[in-house]
Amino acid sequence: MSAQRLDGKACAAAVEEELLERINSLQSNGIEPHLAVIIVGDDPASHVYVNSKVRTCKRLGIRSTHLELPRDTSEEVLKQHILDMNSQEDLHGILIQSPLPSHVNEEALTDLIDPSKDVDGFHPSNLGRIVQGRLDGMIPCTPAGVMRMLKWADIDLSGKKAVVIGRSFNVGMTQALLLAAKGADATVTIVHSRTQNPRDECKDADLVVAAVGRPEMVQSDWIKPGAVVVDVGINRVDDATRERGWRLAGDVCADVSDVASWLSPVPGGVGPMTIAMLMENTVRSAELRMQ
Ligand code: NAP
């Protein structure tokens, strides 16, 4: 058996179709959705991510402002940029591209963003709303993208056993909350670096979401036959057979496809959904201004 492909690219295209209608409606009310992306320093991977966000904005008719700052920019200067953006009426989303240089306190910057413009969903008030079961705010894009993809594939989670590997606030922990929330109704276990036997935790799960950052950690003998597996991981691994000397790998081994009923590919799975959810959060923020 080969697992069905949980095709994030196709699902993201469907989300974009929907967004185009909402953007048209905003535009006919004189509102142009506008996203600002702040990038500090010259981390090549960050520039690749930012470029792909800017390209998606362009495709959808979302205005984007790309603020590129040198590596030695002080925290004070960054704070001032955020405060200026908070007060800019025609700006609806503010995103700070991670990672920031070590002299900058990322949390202090996130705390300053107006929660209604916090399209990454990392502000404590947006994260706190999720704990309260209020899912109408800005939800972090990666876990929101996973939920949307599961819904799109018509995968019922109610009463099912789900395991999330990873407990970062931006992915794993929020993912666990969303899966356990009313409406999704899964029974969730969180696996982290201190978990004694991750394989045993996964073995009887109906859904495994891997968000670890360890290439191909999840093996086929971790997975119950017919389970759904979502691979959030994006890892660069050396590969001498490729001209560029590396390839992208997820957190899940390819042979999981022989056991699972659904498996999301890397690339082309969660990645495109993360960007689609960022666009949706930006559009939602613009719609809030219209009300
Ligand atoms: P992170 O902040 O480094 O968190 C990794 C989590 O994995 C931590 O909770 C850690 O546990 C846990 N972990 C590490 N080693 C483990 C092990 N051996 N067994 C069990 N758990 C272990 O990373 P992240 O930001 O959540 O990202 C995770 C992965 O997703 C990365 O590959 C990242 O590139 C990818 N990602 C992809 C997208 C996308 O759009 N597709 C978006 C965001 C992230 P502790 O808490 O105990 O340290």
Side-chain angles (χ1 to χ4, degrees):
M1 188 182 86
S2 188
Q4 289 192 73
R5 185 183 168 89
L6 205 39
D7 189 340
K9 224 171 157 181
C11 182
V15 171
E16 284 192 13
E17 278 292 305
E18 238 177 77
L19 286 179
L20 278 172
E21 281 180 33
R22 289 165 65 182
I23 292 165
N24 274 340
S25 153
L26 281 164
Q27 283 166 344
S28 54
N29 282 283
I31 296 173
E32 185 183 24
H34 182 187
L35 170 70
V37 182
I38 303 173
I39 181 163
V40 187
D42 49 14
D43 175 50
S46 295
H47 280 269
V48 170
Y49 291 138
V50 167
N51 287 339
S52 128
K53 287 164 188 171
V54 168
R55 265 201 315 275
T56 311
C57 282
K58 209 169 187 176
R59 192 164 65 236
L60 290 176
I62 294 175
R63 183 174 153 207
S64 68
T65 296
H66 183 174
L67 182 60
E68 238 176 279
L69 297 166
R71 205 190 142 65
D72 60 357
T73 306
S74 72
E75 189 173 311
E76 281 318 303
V77 166
L78 282 165
K79 283 181 170 170
Q80 197 49 56
H81 278 295
I82 291 170
L83 293 174
D84 290 347
M85 287 175 175
N86 280 345
S87 61
Q88 217 176 304
E89 271 298 310
D90 67 347
L91 178 64
H92 310 104
I94 304 169
L95 181 148
I96 306 166
Q97 183 64 44
S98 263
L100 287 172
S102 55
H103 67 275
V104 179
N105 178 346
E106 199 160 341
E107 269 180 13
L109 296 185
T110 305
D111 288 357
L112 265 193
I113 296 178
D114 174 343
S116 72
K117 297 187 178 187
D118 168 40
V119 284
D120 254 341
F122 296 165
H123 189 283
S125 94
N126 282 320
L127 289 170
R129 288 171 71 91
I130 299 172
V131 180
Q132 292 176 311
R134 296 157 78 189
L135 302 182
D136 56 345
M138 297 291 169
I139 296 181
C141 303
T142 301
V146 170
M147 297 307 288
R148 181 67 67 89
M149 201 163 63
L150 292 169
K151 194 170 176 197
W152 178 76
D154 212 12
I155 293 167
D156 180 25
L157 301 169
S158 181
K160 301 287 168 60
K161 181 173 177 192
V163 171
V164 178
I165 316 177
R167 59 176 168 182
S168 67
F169 78 92
N170 52 314
V171 191
M173 189 59 79
T174 303
Q175 190 71 70
L177 287 168
L178 294 176
L179 288 166
K182 279 196 174 17
D185 299 317
T187 302
V188 183
T189 300
I190 299 174
V191 166
H192 48 75
S193 66
R194 301 298 169 99
T195 300
Q196 293 220 336
N197 195 335
R199 175 182 173 275
D200 285 355
E201 299 297 337
C202 293
K203 199 69 191 102
D204 62 344
D206 303 298
L207 167 70
V208 174
V209 179
V212 197
R214 295 194 173 246
E216 292 156 5
M217 180 177 107
V218 177
Q219 310 274 317
S220 57
D221 66 350
W222 291 35
I223 301 300
K224 180 172 87 170
V228 175
V229 180
V230 178
D231 191 353
V232 179
I234 302 180
N235 310 289
R236 238 184 214 216
V237 295
D238 293 341
D239 185 345
T241 67
R242 308 279 171 110
E243 201 179 315
R244 60 189 178 188
W246 58 272
R247 68 181 165 90
L248 278 186
D251 290 342
V252 176
C253 217
D255 66 3
V256 162
S257 176
D258 299 338
V259 186
S261 58
W262 290 88
L263 173 63
S264 68
V266 176
V270 178
M273 288 308 297
T274 297
I275 297 183
M277 293 299 100
L278 174 67
M279 299 300 127
E280 187 172 85
N281 278 347
T282 305
V283 169
R284 186 178 308 146
S285 170
E287 287 168 345
L288 287 173
R289 310 277 137 176
M290 202 166 73
Q291 287 162 11

